[in-house]
Amino acid sequence: MMSTTNSASPALLLAELHSPATPTSLTPTLLTTLLHRVFSHPKIFRGFVDILNFPSVQITLGQMPEKKRRELIRTVELFGFGTIRDYYEIKRREKEGGSTITGDDNNDEFVGVWTLTEVQLEKLRMLSVVTIIRRQIMGTEVTSSRKKAATIKKKRDKTKILTITYQHLADELQLFDKHHDDDNEMKDDGVNTVQDPNKLRIIENLLIQCIYSDLLSAKLDQRSKSLKMDPTSSCLEGGNNESGNNSGVNSMMGQGTKKKREGSDGSGGGICGSLFSRDLPSNGNTAKILADATAAEKTGDEEASLRRM
């Protein structure tokens, strides 16, 4: 279960990042600390990438060494639109010495991510559930391998209730894989997820957290051991931002003005805030952020020189 000890208001936490006391008070160390709090916060599920565009954050990014800056940006993007599978793949490559993998297509240098706490991993699993469901709704299934990711398009009747088995979710989330070195309480012992009551409880608890956090509206079908939902229904108003530019406090919170949750067969609604309840990747986003941070760094240096004159 996600920790509730991070009780700071999302608005106050956002204000610390957006409007620090002085332009220079948001140091790289403080930025790292605040981002860890954002990643661990039980009510913040989107708007992560927007943080990188705050002027105060841009200035601070410009003060960081390039390697640390890229790792910070990639970690934020992981929460914005990545998955737990992506995280484990990056960590595996880090262990192997950093084979080529980057946050953008313009640089072949390896870019790692921060090591996440179990609370942060649990949030990333919840966000990954949203991504898995969204891919199913959009008629696309993404399968990953160590060498190449392949996208398989499928035709699906969008008027029917979407059903995703627990086994499929567990496989996509890599919940019980042996090679993970996190503190997962359950490892792969060769027993199929749907046949192991302890594993079933873990996947059901994760899905219940997603539902109670308003990330999605669905029902657990214990008889078929699957998640069922109406893919055409949205359970939150104001979340349908097709530009993917979720800015402000409301976009960071997994809560909002609730509609009545109802599906055509009582199975519940869809992904809260529509298909776009997570941040959306933007082409060249990482390169733009790095360029803006560099420009902010140069501006800061010029202003400092003028003050010394």
Side-chain angles (χ1 to χ4, degrees):
M1 297 287 289
M2 284 191 65
S3 171
T4 56
T5 55
N6 192 347
S7 58
S9 161
L12 292 177
L13 186 53
L14 178 62
E16 288 187 68
L17 287 159
H18 189 271
S19 306
T22 65
T24 58
S25 62
L26 185 64
T27 63
T29 300
L30 179 57
L31 175 59
T32 299
T33 299
L34 291 175
L35 284 175
H36 271 296
R37 288 172 59 190
V38 167
F39 298 153
S40 302
H41 201 288
K43 292 185 178 179
I44 298 177
F45 292 100
R46 45 191 174 266
F48 299 103
V49 176
D50 289 323
I51 293 173
L52 297 175
N53 294 314
F54 291 169
S56 55
V57 173
Q58 285 285 311
I59 292 171
T60 306
L61 287 173
Q63 299 168 357
M64 299 177 69
E66 184 177 2
K67 183 175 183 295
K68 289 191 174 182
R69 182 195 311 169
R70 286 180 175 273
E71 287 181 351
L72 182 152
I73 291 172
R74 188 142 202 233
T75 304
V76 172
E77 290 181 337
L78 184 68
F79 277 88
F81 44 79
T83 65
I84 194 75
R85 181 187 285 273
D86 298 331
Y87 174 79
Y88 285 131
E89 177 68 7
I90 294 167
K91 285 300 180 184
R92 181 189 66 78
R93 297 194 184 199
E94 280 183 357
K95 241 181 188 178
E96 294 176 354
S99 53
T100 301
I101 181 170
T102 61
D104 63 89
D105 297 329
N106 301 319
N107 194 322
D108 290 332
E109 182 184 353
F110 177 85
V111 180
V113 294
W114 294 350
T115 298
L116 304 180
T117 66
E118 182 54 37
V119 169
Q120 293 165 351
L121 286 171
E122 188 72 353
K123 175 185 274 192
L124 188 55
R125 290 185 192 106
M126 293 168 67
L127 293 170
S128 299
V129 169
V130 175
T131 294
I132 293 167
I133 294 172
R134 184 168 65 190
R135 287 170 178 168
Q136 293 278 343
I137 292 174
M138 296 176 77
T140 308
E141 182 179 354
V142 177
T143 58
S144 297
S145 67
R146 291 193 171 187
K147 293 183 179 179
K148 187 177 181 181
T151 302
I152 305 169
K153 290 188 176 180
K154 303 184 301 181
K155 290 184 178 180
R156 200 178 70 73
D157 186 350
K158 296 187 188 303
T159 64
K160 290 185 177 179
I161 295 304
L162 177 66
T163 300
I164 303 180
T165 65
Y166 293 166
Q167 185 65 56
H168 177 71
L169 287 168
D171 291 343
E172 286 297 307
L173 297 169
Q174 300 185 345
L175 271 177
F176 311 113
D177 286 16
K178 289 179 179 178
H179 63 273
H180 299 160
D181 50 12
D182 57 85
D183 294 328
N184 233 349
E185 58 184 283
M186 291 293 296
K187 302 295 182 183
D188 187 1
D189 53 8
V191 179
N192 189 288
T193 299
V194 297
Q195 296 174 340
D196 186 324
N198 292 323
K199 291 181 179 180
L200 269 178
R201 185 166 60 250
I202 289 172
I203 187 68
E204 285 182 338
N205 286 343
L206 177 65
L207 295 173
I208 289 169
Q209 283 190 75
C210 291
I211 292 169
Y212 276 97
S213 297
D214 282 334
L215 279 176
L216 56 91
S217 178
K219 284 193 174 183
L220 308 185
D221 188 335
Q222 293 183 324
R223 185 165 61 177
S224 65
K225 296 180 176 58
S226 62
L227 181 77
K228 294 192 173 185
M229 62 189 299
D230 178 359
T232 64
S233 177
S234 148
C235 68
L236 291 184
E237 293 177 346
N240 191 4
N241 186 344
E242 297 191 8
S243 67
N245 182 21
N246 304 317
S247 59
V249 179
N250 290 335
S251 70
M252 294 183 68
M253 298 174 63
Q255 298 178 356
T257 305
K258 296 182 182 180
K259 285 181 175 180
K260 181 180 179 182
R261 301 181 185 181
E262 53 185 10
S264 59
D265 72 343
S267 67
I271 296 176
C272 291
S274 83
L275 300 181
F276 303 96
S277 61
R278 288 199 70 183
D279 296 345
L280 292 177
S282 173
N283 291 334
N285 187 56
T286 301
K288 180 180 182 303
I289 290 167
L290 288 169
D292 290 346
T294 302
E297 180 182 20
K298 289 179 179 178
T299 301
D301 290 343
E302 291 171 0
E303 291 175 351
S305 297
L306 289 172
R307 286 195 298 270
R308 287 195 292 269
M309 291 178 65

